[in-house]
Amino acid sequence: MAIIKTTCVTLLLFILSGIGFIYSGFYPIGADQRHHPITLWVLTTLREQSIARASRDLEVPPLDDPALLLSGGADYNEMCSSCHLKPGKANSDLSLGLYPQPPNLTLKPEAHDHSHGKGGHNDPDVNARRQFWVIKHGIMASGMAAFGSTHDDGRIWAIVAFLQKLPQLNELQYQIITARRTSNHNPN
Amino acid sequence: MNTRSTLLLSLIVLSTSTTAFAHDPSEHKNDSEQPNCEALNTMDHTKMDVNDPIIQAIMEQCGTHHNHEQNHQDKSKKSAVNKSDQ
């Protein structure tokens, strides 16, 4: 009986201490602070496992169509490059200031400093599914917005198609591919 | 206006206004940078793999761009010829 009583009191004190800490305001919430390694491991693992589970059944369409690269490239340049960079730009105010730091998508996946889950680095389909899901749904409290409410799936897959080729592009190729096409523009 | 009508009207306005927040590509057509296709002339075309989707995308982009410029030039020439005929 005494053991049960002690356990309950300890548990209650633990919960009250946790609540007290939350309300104390002592937790350093600034993006210029770094997580404790354990917190970082918990958050990173939680994120990767969640994305892997949520995206595992997505069917990847063919992504080699040049038209997809053009429409996805223009969207990437306007929506993503300020955080995820472009050839010839190694950092930006946002890439340096956000925490967690947005991955540099001009690098190949294996060069990123975080895991992409089981098989993520070696399997292009796993990477593509993962990228589609992240663009569509975003990631909580990370600065990554959910674009699914304003962009349809076809447009998001076009950005994914562009991301598969981005690490291979030089500055000139990037400039040409990401320029917004004016073919529908009426010259008259 | 009763509460039910206000609620219905609010729902309609909210659902239609959501699309206005979407990132519309046409907004960027006039202010966006044009593709630097002229720089392609300095590249060694024999090293380009025409089966590579990147090269195909560049050709499609610059083909369109050049055709567009060509159309502009052709129209300018035609209008100049027409004016000189008159």
Side-chain angles (χ1 to χ4, degrees):
Chain A
M1 191 65 188
I3 294 174
I4 295 173
K5 206 173 179 179
T6 310
T7 308
C8 286
V9 170
T10 310
L11 199 65
L12 188 66
L13 280 174
F14 186 74
I15 292 169
L16 287 175
S17 307
I19 293 171
F21 179 69
I22 290 169
Y23 276 94
S24 72
F26 280 116
Y27 186 83
I29 201 75
D32 53 353
Q33 302 290 316
R34 293 295 174 261
H35 286 307
H36 185 279
I38 294 173
T39 314
L40 184 64
W41 176 83
V42 169
L43 291 176
T44 306
T45 307
L46 187 74
R47 180 189 71 205
E48 292 306 323
Q49 291 300 112
S50 175
I51 295 170
R53 183 180 175 281
S55 64
R56 68 187 170 194
D57 294 329
L58 288 172
E59 198 170 319
V60 182
L63 298 174
D64 270 348
D65 184 349
L68 287 179
L69 299 187
L70 293 176
S71 71
D75 274 349
Y76 176 86
N77 192 44
E78 287 151 12
M79 296 155 51
C80 319
S81 63
S82 53
C83 293
H84 295 292
L85 307 173
K86 57 186 180 180
K89 195 169 173 70
N91 54 57
S92 68
D93 287 351
L94 288 171
S95 78
L96 294 174
L98 283 169
Y99 185 73
Q101 192 169 25
N104 179 350
L105 297 182
T106 68
L107 302 175
K108 289 181 178 169
E110 55 267 30
H112 295 170
D113 59 356
H114 61 264
S115 163
H116 284 176
K118 196 178 176 184
H121 286 156
N122 302 322
D123 188 333
D125 275 3
V126 171
N127 270 333
R129 279 198 289 267
R130 185 182 179 283
Q131 287 167 338
F132 176 85
W133 192 92
V134 171
I135 296 168
K136 182 167 181 170
H137 299 282
I139 299 174
M140 277 183 191
S142 73
M144 179 63 204
F147 290 102
S149 58
T150 52
H151 294 69
D152 62 31
D153 285 3
R155 206 161 155 199
I156 295 174
W157 278 119
I159 299 172
V160 174
F162 176 76
L163 291 180
Q164 311 313 301
K165 304 296 179 192
L166 179 57
Q168 302 166 37
L169 299 181
N170 60 33
E171 285 180 56
L172 175 62
Q173 290 170 331
Y174 178 89
Q175 196 282 332
I176 292 172
I177 289 178
T178 60
R180 182 67 72 187
R181 284 197 287 179
T182 54
S183 54
N184 294 331
H185 173 69
N186 184 1
N188 293 322
Chain B
M1 198 182 286
N2 61 28
T3 313
R4 195 172 282 182
S5 306
T6 310
L7 189 65
L8 187 65
L9 188 64
S10 304
L11 279 174
I12 292 168
V13 169
L14 273 174
S15 59
T16 52
S17 63
T18 305
T19 53
F21 295 125
H23 166 233
D24 185 356
S26 63
E27 288 174 11
H28 298 275
K29 279 192 173 176
N30 293 329
D31 59 0
S32 62
E33 201 177 349
Q34 291 301 299
N36 184 12
C37 295
E38 289 71 25
L40 285 179
N41 298 331
T42 61
M43 292 170 69
D44 184 358
H45 289 228
T46 57
K47 288 180 182 172
M48 289 183 180
D49 176 8
V50 290
N51 294 318
D52 182 352
I54 294 172
I55 301 301
Q56 289 174 351
I58 289 171
M59 292 305 164
E60 192 175 324
Q61 180 83 307
C62 288
T64 305
H65 182 68
H66 279 318
N67 288 341
H68 181 62
E69 281 193 343
Q70 192 66 45
N71 287 341
H72 257 305
Q73 286 171 358
D74 289 348
K75 283 191 176 178
S76 302
K77 278 180 189 171
K78 274 182 186 173
S79 60
V81 169
N82 288 340
K83 277 180 186 171
S84 64
D85 285 346
Q86 289 166 2

